Amino acid sequence: MVSGCLSWPLEHARQVHGERTALIEGDRRLTYRELGARVSRLGGALDRLGLPPGALVGTLAGNTAAHLECWLAVPAHGRVINSLNHRLAPDELAFMIDDSGTRVLVADDARLEVARGLLERCEALEHIVHAGNDWAPDYCITYEDLLEDSEPVAPPDLPAETLAAISYTGGTTGLPKGVMLSHGNLVANAKHFLFQDALTPDDCYVHAGPLFHVSDSTMVFCVTWAGGTHIMLDRFDLPRLINAIEEHGATVLVLVPTMIQMLLAHLEQHPAALGSLRLLHYAAAPMPESLLARAMRALPCEF
């Protein structure tokens, strides 16, 4: 196994931190041993679906365990993840699926109806995989059944230049453009954050921003590589975010300035014990100097 491809962070964590908590989603817990087994089965499922190397798998979901598993499994097993912005209109999503040739779409309960419409209109799209708790319609493959019926497979060693992910821009100045990210790109980024943030197995990261955005998905591999804990919030919700920090001792966050402003306003009315927080990244938009100064006074962490 080489460290230039995206199979390495999880494989390292599975071997070194196997019984540590990898993921928290509500009352659910997965160790790195368990997460590694599920990701290996998802790799086998991609084979069962007939997806050749380089095929695209899309996600249309909130910050769920299944979404995180897709980020860990799809590129590691030689396919390309297309994590779609579920806030976009169907026409925009259809353009991204058609433009990239996405063949499989993993959707949660809240986006299943949108996924059905995309299946009907997008020629390349072959399968909808339902990753949720609600009843699955006939046009779907159930995510948990797919994993259960698939044999685990070991990920291949892939060259660093192998395509791993496509991240679409918002199309502000024209049609959206798919930014192509290689294994080498994402491994280098993971190493940067791993060392810059001095991440350790004791770190707990809250996925508060959307996984479809690089400000959050960039933390998937570095936190995993360190053997830290992923705390999943399906959407940004201030009381749930604060509860996650207090209950699980979260140490690291990535928030956009608007989220930080909302957090500070909430804390003024509802003080909370956030002493475990040691580091907050701000990203995705300019940070007003006055807001940064206010945050540094209110929050007990580095920025």
Side-chain angles (χ1 to χ4, degrees), residues 72-88:
L72 292 169
V74 172
H77 288 87
R79 283 75 172 191
V80 182
I81 188 168
N82 180 15
S83 189
L84 293 163
N85 182 347
H86 54 71
R87 298 170 183 164
L88 296 177

Side-chain angles (χ1 to χ4, degrees), residues 135-285:
W135 173 81
D138 292 340
Y139 63 83
C140 293
I141 301 169
T142 302
Y143 182 82
E144 292 299 330
D145 289 347
L146 185 63
L147 263 61
E148 185 175 340
D149 295 339
S150 301
E151 293 296 323
V153 298
D157 285 339
L158 298 168
E161 64 269 18
T162 304
L163 185 61
I166 292 183
S167 179
Y168 272 89
T169 65
T172 306
T173 57
L175 292 174
K177 297 167 181 66
V179 179
M180 302 168 71
L181 301 170
S182 70
H183 283 252
N185 293 151
L186 295 178
V187 167
N189 205 32
K191 287 181 178 180
H192 169 80
F193 279 91
L194 180 65
F195 301 138
Q196 172 65 30
D197 293 354
L199 295 172
T200 75
D202 294 325
D203 277 311
C204 296
Y205 173 73
V206 184
H207 289 271
L211 263 171
F212 64 71
H213 197 286
V214 292
S215 64
D216 189 74
S217 63
T218 195
M219 301 300 289
V220 169
F221 297 102
C222 60
V223 172
T224 299
W225 213 333
T229 300
H230 297 273
I231 303 171
M232 310 307 296
L233 296 183
D234 61 337
R235 57 185 174 81
F236 179 66
D237 178 271
L238 278 171
R240 291 175 61 207
L241 171 61
I242 291 168
N243 181 70
I245 299 171
E246 291 183 318
E247 181 179 354
H248 304 300
T251 59
V252 181
L253 293 177
V254 176
L255 300 176
V256 303
T258 301
M259 291 176 174
I260 295 174
Q261 189 168 12
M262 293 169 64
L263 174 62
L264 296 180
H266 184 88
L267 290 174
E268 289 175 357
Q269 300 297 320
H270 309 280
L274 306 183
S276 64
L277 194 62
R278 71 171 185 85
L279 179 64
L280 191 152
H281 284 283
Y282 52 91

Side-chain angles (χ1 to χ4, degrees), residues 10 14 33-49 69-70 72-74 77 79 142-155:
L10 180 58
R14 185 187 66 79
R33 177 181 56 79
E34 293 167 332
L35 180 61
R38 288 178 60 83
V39 167
S40 294
R41 285 187 174 275
L42 184 50
L46 300 177
D47 292 341
R48 285 188 64 233
L49 292 173
E69 289 167 356
C70 287
L72 292 169
V74 172
H77 288 87
R79 283 75 172 191
T142 302
Y143 182 82
E144 292 299 330
D145 289 347
L146 185 63
L147 263 61
E148 185 175 340
D149 295 339
S150 301
E151 293 296 323
V153 298

